[in-house]
Amino acid sequence: MNGADALIETLAFNGVEACFANPGTSEMQFVSSLDRHPGIRPVLCLFEGVATGAADGYGRIAGQPACTLLHLGPGYGNGLANLHNARRAFTAVVNVIGDHATYHRRHDAPLASDIAAIAGANSVWVKSADSADGVGALAAEAIAASLGPPGGPASLILPADCAWSPTNSAPCKAERRAKAQAPSSAVEAAARRIRAAARPVLLLGTGACGEAELRAAGRLAGAGIRVLTDTFIARQRRGAGVFAPDRMMYFGEMALTDLTGVDLMVLVETVAPVAFFAYPDKPSVLVPDGCETLGLAARGEDGAAALEALADALGAPRQAKLQPLRLPERQTGPLTPAAAGAAIARHLPEGAIVSDDSVTSGQAIVNLTRTARPHDWLGLTGGAIGQGIPVAVGAAVAGGGRKVVSLNGDGAAMYTLQGLWTMAREGLDVTTVIFANNAYRILGIELGRTGAGEPGPAAAKLLGLGDPALQWASLAGGLGVPACRCDTAEAFEAAFARAMAQSGPTLIEAALA
Amino acid sequence: MNGADALIETLAFNGVEACFANPGTSEMQFVSSLDRHPGIRPVLCLFEGVATGAADGYGRIAGQPACTLLHLGPGYGNGLANLHNARRAFTAVVNVIGDHATYHRRHDAPLASDIAAIAGANSVWVKSADSADGVGALAAEAIAASLGPPGGPASLILPADCAWSPTNSAPCKAERRAKAQAPSSAVEAAARRIRAAARPVLLLGTGACGEAELRAAGRLAGAGIRVLTDTFIARQRRGAGVFAPDRMMYFGEMALTDLTGVDLMVLVETVAPVAFFAYPDKPSVLVPDGCETLGLAARGEDGAAALEALADALGAPRQAKLQPLRLPERQTGPLTPAAAGAAIARHLPEGAIVSDDSVTSGQAIVNLTRTARPHDWLGLTGGAIGQGIPVAVGAAVAGGGRKVVSLNGDGAAMYTLQGLWTMAREGLDVTTVIFANNAYRILGIELGRTGAGEPGPAAAKLLGLGDPALQWASLAGGLGVPACRCDTAEAFEAAFARAMAQSGPTLIEAALA
């Protein structure tokens, strides 16, 4: 038994069941050890951004961390953007980052770099092993840190000699902490202020959008209090039989218009909302002038219990306000995001998981699926596009047969299209939709909003993807995923219905009108 | 005029002529400013790893920095691996990393992260602007730092308000420093020790493989001194009419066998060689026991002048030992790396640039092209695979019509295949060869070398790419690049000859036997 075995035994002992890997030489002992520990499923990703996004998707669904296996600083770097998203989703992920042997580090070999510095910015915990005997205990620390609450990516640097040296250490148990109870004074204060407020709202953060939290928030909605969520939520239960809060609008001035007159904002596992970006002469903080903010439960505290207590204190009805099942009409004609959204809402099966990286095409789909069959929605928490395909990979591995739908802007999908191959390799039941508008459409909007005016030839060249047009069916086919292209509402409806009725990976290019 | 204009004017004033970009909202002012400054060519890349690798390739060929345009921490992260390679190549690159407006940073918006920490590990210089007035001077600092010598990637963080706020600052001139002269005492000491040594070698680093350095080193070879280069060289002049040093072997024990009996190693713009990775019971430092190491010129010093002075001191012949033009025979039968290498050597045109990321397929090609028509070879300096396609993009933009050949392992090419689209978009004259062995072949070798034994089912799953097999012609077609697949030596010879005879992007899948 060596350090790699000790690491894997501690991972497995604490419920880690999947490893999303893109290994190199320094990780060969870990790879070999996986052969001796069949309880951890090795999933090869052809680019590290797929591995880290998949671990995020896995963690969001499983509520348990997966591990990634990454190759030194550059390997971590390739996976950084989706770990940024995972940090903002508070998803438990354990990164195992192979490094040079401890005694080799001082020689500054070509692949050497400051891994701890690179990983630190998006890790809730980062440490390096320095002996095989110490690896297991560090792995347990990493798992505990990743789980939080609120949790996030933890990064364990594993020098090659700590992996290959012998050890007899036993598996270590990771400490698990439940969410702390919010202070009862916070509940009392919130009840008091809500009673006194003219127009109070509740704002739910990413940790407060599960079934229990929404049920409690839905009671408060039944008492006439408006409930919103942050714009991007790691995992939200939605659809028929679920309470549907509103969403903070993406653009700050629209959000503030939407909040006109609000004089109290009660925060549940979140902080006061801010604009995604700053713009000249537009506000950064999305709290109306004169509106008081008040914390009910902080991140890492039990928002569901606090919401139930608040509902009781306010005498809210026992039964939450729930969405009915109501499916949109079948659409015909040009393929717009709304037409695609109608087809998706109509055919999304019960229990589906939606991985959303659809940027400008997404809003119509979000609206149309509010009354679809019950499903989970995984949002772009950190704003780093290229999440949709990888998160779908991990969600499918964790989902135990649940249908996964991945919604992607064409620009966003290009970042991590390699994930399609992993879907093919693993036979994952994922339907990937690419909304092809042949542009970074959002940037055309943002150019004007930042005061940069209309695009000239140089700017147009940096915002357009149409020359040459990406051929998504060809790309998917090259990666082993069957695909089709649809350019009418009817064709998309048929293709999406077919994809929902069968199993296995498939891709639909929605060529938007 | 705003801060973005000031930045671009300073860039252009100092010879920056290309911007490899993957912008987001925070970079819109820079994008818009490019419309007002047509001297800088905007090149859109659909993934940041393409943009940074392209800037590396551009810098290696132009000897001037290109700039990248990256979107906050995640955008830099996506480009990190190829900046790691650029750091190891000492390539001048100026990263412009957009950030939130200065006053927006404290709100910790979703895309916020510690950019300076993430960028620091692979930057020779990293600073953030804090006003529009200061941007030009910082850009000049960044350019100067990137040029060194020895140089490397410099990272300028540009908050959005520093880009959009007005300024009247004039373009700033970047200080340029020539390589320092190596001390004459070092030349004298080297001459003295070489005369006394039984088996001296010269080791040339990545900055010492240009025409002037090789001419001088070739004189010393004519005097009977063995000359080697580091294993991976940023840019090496090769082929007929050029002196051909040997190369440090990749595997440490082979390198030490190759150096048996060497009692003096004279270092030119490099340091004592070390193994790429550590392995159990194998050496880290690749200097034979009892061998003395001696610096002739440090990195950033003028190796060419020092070599000429050394050659004079040793009375070496005036004329260097040069390679003849000698092309291999036409091959037939199964398509092996050697058969492909023969075809490449036979048809590589004079002045071609080769971007090499071919991993296990590369050694035969390196050997066979030693006597090909003169060309430049761009190696994988930092060991982070996924460089071959992006570096070819930048080399073609810088090359002014020179034919570029990109050699890639199939596993390596999958990291940054998005670069093919930029080749199509820009009409770049790049022939991309994919050596398809359907495996991370190198890892099959390394598994044994690290003592991890034979692969079982889990390990085999993490080393093999064949299930499903990647369809490169389909992938290239999806990105707008015409492609073919060859599985015999004859077919590859014909396809490669055709590619060399025509212009524009094309891809050849070499399906290896």
Side-chain angles (χ1 to χ4, degrees):
Chain A
M1 169 171 172
N2 62 25
D5 294 315
L7 171 52
I8 289 184
E9 287 182 12
T10 288
L11 292 172
F13 183 66
N14 289 288
V16 175
E17 295 179 355
C19 173
F20 298 97
N22 187 275
T25 298
S26 38
E27 292 75 56
M28 286 299 100
Q29 294 287 346
F30 189 99
V31 165
S32 171
S33 181
L34 287 168
D35 276 324
R36 297 187 286 279
H37 299 92
I40 295 187
R41 175 175 175 180
V43 178
L44 178 61
C45 302
L46 300 188
F47 181 68
E48 293 89 342
V50 177
T52 55
D56 183 8
Y58 182 97
R60 294 192 198 189
I61 295 303
Q64 291 285 336
C67 72
T68 66
L69 184 60
L70 307 171
H71 188 47
L72 297 98
Y76 180 92
N78 282 335
L80 185 150
N82 275 329
L83 290 169
H84 170 99
N85 290 329
R87 173 172 66 95
R88 294 292 184 182
F90 304 97
T91 309
V93 171
V94 176
N95 298 306
V96 177
I97 310 169
D99 192 9
H100 287 306
T102 51
Y103 60 84
H104 196 68
R105 281 174 170 163
R106 66 192 159 91
H107 299 302
D108 193 34
L111 266 165
S113 60
D114 187 345
I115 302 175
I118 294 169
N122 287 298
S123 297
V124 295
W125 180 101
V126 54
K127 284 191 188 174
S128 174
D130 59 5
S131 72
D133 289 338
V135 167
L138 285 177
E141 266 189 48
I143 294 165
S146 78
L147 286 164
S155 297
L156 172 58
I157 302 169
L158 181 65
D161 55 336
C162 301
W164 75 52
S165 297
T167 179
N168 288 311
S169 58
C172 298
K173 190 157 180 63
E175 192 194 344
R176 298 203 172 223
R177 286 183 294 128
K179 282 183 168 179
Q181 201 172 342
S184 58
S185 58
V187 175
E188 289 153 18
R192 200 164 53 240
R193 304 290 176 86
I194 286 172
R195 280 196 206 95
R199 197 173 289 190
V201 298
L202 272 178
L203 181 63
L204 309 182
T206 209
C209 294
E211 290 196 66
E213 290 87 352
L214 291 177
R215 200 182 311 115
R219 290 181 60 197
L220 289 155
I225 301 163
R226 186 173 179 210
V227 182
L228 297 104
T229 71
D230 283 333
T231 310
F232 296 99
I233 295 294
R235 175 181 177 173
Q236 184 179 343
R237 190 72 181 161
R238 299 176 84 240
V242 183
F243 167 62
D246 292 333
R247 223 196 219 207
M248 280 291 294
M249 294 204 179
Y250 177 79
F251 289 125
E253 66 278 18
M254 295 182 196
L256 282 173
T257 302
D258 183 50
L259 297 174
T260 301
V262 168
D263 56 349
L264 175 67
M265 186 179 285
V266 177
L267 306 170
V268 188
E269 300 192 35
T270 190
V271 295
V274 299
F276 211 81
F277 291 106
Y279 305 91
D281 308 320
K282 293 194 167 78
S284 281
V285 177
L286 305 184
V287 178
D289 284 345
C291 173
E292 182 189 6
T293 58
L294 188 71
L296 176 68
R299 285 179 182 142
E301 290 181 342
D302 186 344
L307 286 164
E308 287 286 0
L310 179 62
D312 291 345
L314 290 171
R318 294 301 312 164
Q319 178 55 47
K321 205 176 143 186
L322 305 181
Q323 292 298 102
L325 177 68
R326 196 169 55 223
L327 303 180
E329 293 298 299
R330 183 190 187 98
Q331 301 293 304
T332 57
L335 183 53
T336 61
I344 291 167
R346 287 163 54 78
H347 297 286
L348 198 65
E350 181 166 345
I353 300 166
V354 178
S355 171
D356 180 17
D357 195 3
S358 55
V359 200
T360 50
S361 301
Q363 192 55 52
I365 309 167
V366 168
N367 294 343
L368 285 157
T369 48
R370 278 166 74 108
T371 56
R373 296 174 197 89
H375 59 275
D376 283 301
W377 196 276
L378 313 183
L380 186 66
T381 46
I385 56 174
Q387 175 186 294
I389 291 172
V391 160
V393 166
V397 171
R402 293 172 66 181
K403 174 70 85 176
V404 178
V405 175
S406 169
L407 306 177
N408 307 271
D410 49 0
M414 275 304 294
Y415 283 64
T416 44
L417 75 161
Q418 301 94 335
L420 297 171
W421 182 86
T422 299
M423 294 178 189
R425 153 74 71 102
E426 300 288 327
L428 301 178
D429 190 11
V430 182
T431 297
T432 299
V433 180
I434 309 290
F435 295 100
N437 57 20
N438 297 311
Y440 292 122
R441 181 68 50 88
I442 182 74
L443 297 185
I445 301 165
E446 297 284 35
L447 195 74
R449 287 175 49 81
T450 57
E454 289 297 306
K461 204 178 150 195
L462 293 181
L463 305 187
L465 306 177
D467 177 25
L470 297 160
Q471 306 296 328
W472 281 98
S474 192
L475 291 170
L479 297 167
V481 171
C484 67
R485 181 176 187 276
C486 306
D487 57 6
T488 65
E490 293 87 335
F492 184 86
E493 163 104 13
F496 193 79
R498 202 162 50 235
M500 293 304 101
Q502 70 193 22
S503 184
T506 188
L507 181 142
I508 303 169
E509 176 184 347
L512 295 177
Chain B
M1 169 168 169
N2 62 25
D5 294 315
L7 171 53
I8 288 184
E9 287 182 11
T10 287
L11 292 172
F13 184 66
N14 290 288
V16 175
E17 296 180 355
C19 173
F20 298 97
N22 187 275
T25 297
S26 40
E27 292 74 55
M28 285 299 100
Q29 294 287 345
F30 189 101
V31 164
S32 173
S33 181
L34 287 168
D35 275 324
R36 298 187 285 280
H37 299 91
I40 295 187
R41 175 174 175 181
V43 179
L44 178 60
C45 303
L46 301 187
F47 180 70
E48 293 89 344
V50 178
T52 55
D56 184 9
Y58 183 97
R60 294 192 198 189
I61 295 302
Q64 292 284 338
C67 72
T68 65
L69 185 61
L70 307 172
H71 188 47
L72 296 101
Y76 180 92
N78 282 335
L80 184 150
N82 275 329
L83 291 168
H84 170 99
N85 289 330
R87 173 171 68 93
R88 294 291 184 183
F90 303 98
T91 308
V93 171
V94 175
N95 299 308
V96 177
I97 310 169
D99 192 8
H100 287 306
T102 51
Y103 60 83
H104 196 67
R105 280 173 170 165
R106 67 192 158 92
H107 298 302
D108 193 34
L111 265 165
S113 59
D114 187 345
I115 302 176
I118 294 169
N122 288 297
S123 298
V124 296
W125 179 101
V126 54
K127 285 190 187 174
S128 174
D130 59 5
S131 73
D133 289 339
V135 167
L138 283 180
E141 264 189 51
I143 293 165
S146 78
L147 286 165
S155 297
L156 173 57
I157 301 169
L158 180 66
D161 55 336
C162 301
W164 75 52
S165 297
T167 179
N168 289 309
S169 57
C172 299
K173 192 159 177 62
E175 192 195 344
R176 295 200 175 227
R177 288 183 293 127
K179 280 182 170 180
Q181 201 172 341
S184 58
S185 58
V187 176
E188 289 153 19
R192 201 163 53 239
R193 304 289 176 87
I194 286 173
R195 279 197 207 94
R199 197 172 288 188
V201 299
L202 274 176
L203 181 64
L204 309 182
T206 210
C209 294
E211 289 197 67
E213 290 86 353
L214 291 178
R215 200 182 311 113
R219 290 181 61 199
L220 289 156
I225 300 163
R226 186 174 180 207
V227 182
L228 297 105
T229 70
D230 283 333
T231 310
F232 295 99
I233 295 295
R235 175 182 176 172
Q236 183 178 345
R237 190 72 181 160
R238 300 176 82 243
V242 183
F243 167 62
D246 293 333
R247 219 195 223 207
M248 281 289 294
M249 293 202 180
Y250 177 80
F251 289 123
E253 65 277 19
M254 295 182 197
L256 282 173
T257 302
D258 183 50
L259 296 174
T260 301
V262 169
D263 57 347
L264 175 67
M265 187 179 284
V266 177
L267 305 170
V268 189
E269 300 191 36
T270 190
V271 295
V274 299
F276 211 83
F277 291 106
Y279 303 92
D281 307 320
K282 293 194 168 78
S284 282
V285 177
L286 305 184
V287 179
D289 284 346
C291 173
E292 183 190 5
T293 60
L294 188 71
L296 175 68
R299 283 177 183 144
E301 290 181 340
D302 186 344
L307 286 163
E308 287 286 359
L310 180 62
D312 291 344
L314 290 172
R318 294 301 311 164
Q319 179 55 47
K321 202 176 144 188
L322 305 180
Q323 292 299 102
L325 178 68
R326 196 170 55 222
L327 303 180
E329 294 298 301
R330 184 192 186 95
Q331 302 292 303
T332 57
L335 182 54
T336 60
I344 291 167
R346 285 164 53 80
H347 297 287
L348 199 66
E350 183 166 343
I353 299 165
V354 179
S355 171
D356 180 16
D357 195 3
S358 54
V359 201
T360 50
S361 301
Q363 192 54 52
I365 309 167
V366 168
N367 294 342
L368 286 158
T369 49
R370 277 167 76 107
T371 56
R373 297 173 196 88
H375 59 274
D376 284 301
W377 196 276
L378 313 183
L380 185 67
T381 46
I385 57 175
Q387 174 186 293
I389 289 171
V391 159
V393 166
V397 171
R402 293 172 67 182
K403 174 69 85 177
V404 178
V405 175
S406 170
L407 305 178
N408 306 273
D410 48 1
M414 275 306 293
Y415 282 65
T416 46
L417 76 161
Q418 301 95 334
L420 296 172
W421 182 86
T422 299
M423 293 179 189
R425 153 72 72 102
E426 300 288 328
L428 301 178
D429 190 12
V430 182
T431 298
T432 299
V433 180
I434 308 290
F435 294 100
N437 57 21
N438 298 312
Y440 293 123
R441 182 66 51 87
I442 184 73
L443 297 185
I445 300 166
E446 296 285 33
L447 194 74
R449 288 174 50 80
T450 56
E454 290 296 308
K461 204 178 150 195
L462 293 181
L463 305 186
L465 307 177
D467 175 25
L470 297 159
Q471 306 295 328
W472 282 98
S474 188
L475 290 170
L479 298 166
V481 170
C484 67
R485 181 175 187 276
C486 305
D487 58 5
T488 65
E490 294 88 336
F492 185 85
E493 164 104 13
F496 193 78
R498 202 162 51 237
M500 293 304 100
Q502 71 193 24
S503 184
T506 186
L507 180 141
I508 303 170
E509 177 185 345
L512 295 178

